[in-house]
Structure formats: C-alpha cells, structure tokens
Amino acid sequence: MPIVSAAACPHPPLLVPAVAGGAAAELDVLRAACLSAIDQLADADSLLIVGSGPATGTQYESSAGGSFGPYGAPQVTVGTGEPVLPLSLTMGSWLLSQSKAAGLPSRMVTVATDEPVEGCLALGQELAAGNERKALLVMGDGSARRSEHSPVHLHPRAEIFDSTVAAALDLADTATLAALDPDLAGELKAAGRAPWQVLAGAAGPATFTGNLLYHAAPYGVGYFVAAWSA
C-alpha cells in the first residue's frame, strides 16, 4: 500500500486565530474539521505535507521556517530561521503542530499550480515509494470564483467543479481527481488541483475509505476537508 492515510485541508490564513484578530468565528468549524482529519494521521510512521508553490519537487525539512507576517500576524511562525515556506506549507505545518500527529517525522514538498497531470501523478508515486507507512497531508483550496464576493468574480462552472472535487474526496475517488482539467482549474482559480492529483498518484490502486468533513465557501472560495484511511 503506497500510503496508509491522508488528509486534505485548505490553506486560508484566517484559520490562524491571530490573523483573524479573534474574529472569523465562522471558520471555527473548518479549523476543527482540519484538526480532526490530521489527528487521524497519527498512526503512520512519517508524514508528508504537499502544497502548491512556485516549482514542483522543492522539498523542505520539518524545521523549515514560515511566517504569517504577510497576513498581519508576524508573531505566528512555524519552524526555525528565515521564512521560506509558501503559504500552503506554512498553513500545513501550523495545522500539523496543533494536532495529535505533531510528533511524527515529517517533511514538505511543493507542486507547481500549473504542473501537468502526468507530473502530479508521478510526484505522488515518487513520494509514496518505499516500505515506510506514510501519511499525506494535502493542502489545497477549491475555486476562488464561487460567489459575487469571491476574490475573482463569479464563474458559472465554479460550484459544479467544487462539488465534483468534494464528492471525489468523500469517496476517495482517485480517478476523478486524476481527471480534473488543469485549464478549467486555472480558469476557476482552484489552487488545490495539482496537490489533489499528487494525492491521486500517491494513493495508486489501493482502496481507501473517504470521509468528507467539510465543504463550504464562506468567502466565495471553496474549502474542503477530507480524511482517507486504508
């Protein structure tokens, strides 16, 4: 079995209470869902965090630095040293640190937002190789065009795209994730497309049980939380 468990989470900075200034109570349920999904990874031998970044295959140790300074909370950091992590991995590292899986040996890897499907699947297969019982934490947002209040104006195909992703995450349906159209995902500003396809590649032909814990678009951006177990 390539991986023994996986969690999919979004990466809005407002998940960090200090960024929200104590507000954004509507994200309390989302934050709790993320931690519940990540808690279920604690039985693995090691953990990989996958998130979007400027290039594919850039790897970081668990000690790599990240900061929420660009989002108004410079006092909230992860790792050590200068912040080098992109938002997706900074958020993943912060969530992991709050969870029951915080003690697992971990590392992080980026995938380019525009990475072709074949490259995403190949990266997933590479990450899953070996005999170690690995867990995967995949960071990715859905469409940023879900409403008139979205960061980018409403797109008529945004909701059905996100509904398709939500159903695939709920069913641990790797075929549907692998079939997501990069061009459409780019048009819809769905940053999670490439990381989800890395998950599909890592899961391979193994059978998982999926559980969708959250799906909503509180700020016009689709957010999903799902847990997969063997």
Side-chain angles (χ1 to χ4, degrees):
M1 182 177 297
I3 58 174
V4 296
S5 56
C9 295
H11 48 69
L14 285 172
L15 278 175
V16 178
V19 172
E26 65 273 16
L27 291 188
D28 289 349
V29 173
L30 173 57
R31 188 183 307 109
C34 289
L35 295 178
S36 177
I38 299 171
D39 283 349
Q40 297 177 50
L41 308 180
D43 290 337
D45 295 329
S46 65
L47 185 144
L48 292 160
I49 305 176
V50 179
S52 56
T56 293
T58 303
Q59 298 204 24
Y60 301 93
E61 297 301 318
S62 60
S63 60
S67 171
F68 290 95
Y71 308 98
Q75 74 277 23
V76 183
T77 61
V78 298
T80 59
E82 292 297 316
V84 295
L85 297 175
L87 172 62
S88 62
L89 297 183
T90 300
M91 192 73 249
S93 182
W94 184 85
L95 285 170
L96 177 61
S97 72
Q98 311 296 307
S99 77
K100 295 177 181 178
L104 287 180
S106 64
R107 57 191 173 96
M108 297 169 273
V109 63
T110 57
V111 59
T113 304
D114 60 353
E115 180 67 32
V117 176
E118 295 78 8
C120 296
L121 297 176
L123 177 60
Q125 292 166 4
E126 177 185 334
L127 296 176
N131 297 320
E132 198 172 34
R133 298 173 66 256
K134 298 175 184 176
L136 208 61
L137 171 55
V138 178
M139 308 300 298
D141 295 349
S143 174
R145 305 184 66 174
R146 285 283 296 274
S147 78
E148 295 294 350
H149 304 291
S150 299
V152 186
H153 61 82
L154 175 68
H155 193 290
R157 299 182 67 182
E159 186 169 355
I160 191 169
F161 177 90
D162 278 2
S163 295
T164 299
V165 172
L169 291 173
D170 190 36
L171 297 172
D173 180 356
T174 58
T176 294
L177 293 178
L180 295 174
D181 180 4
D183 292 334
L184 177 59
E187 186 177 345
L188 297 178
K189 307 299 181 185
R193 187 275 308 174
W196 298 325
Q197 290 181 328
V198 173
L199 170 59
T207 300
F208 288 85
T209 298
N211 184 16
L212 185 70
L213 303 178
Y214 184 96
H215 173 211
Y219 305 122
V221 181
Y223 298 144
F224 316 95
V225 179
W228 289 14
S229 58

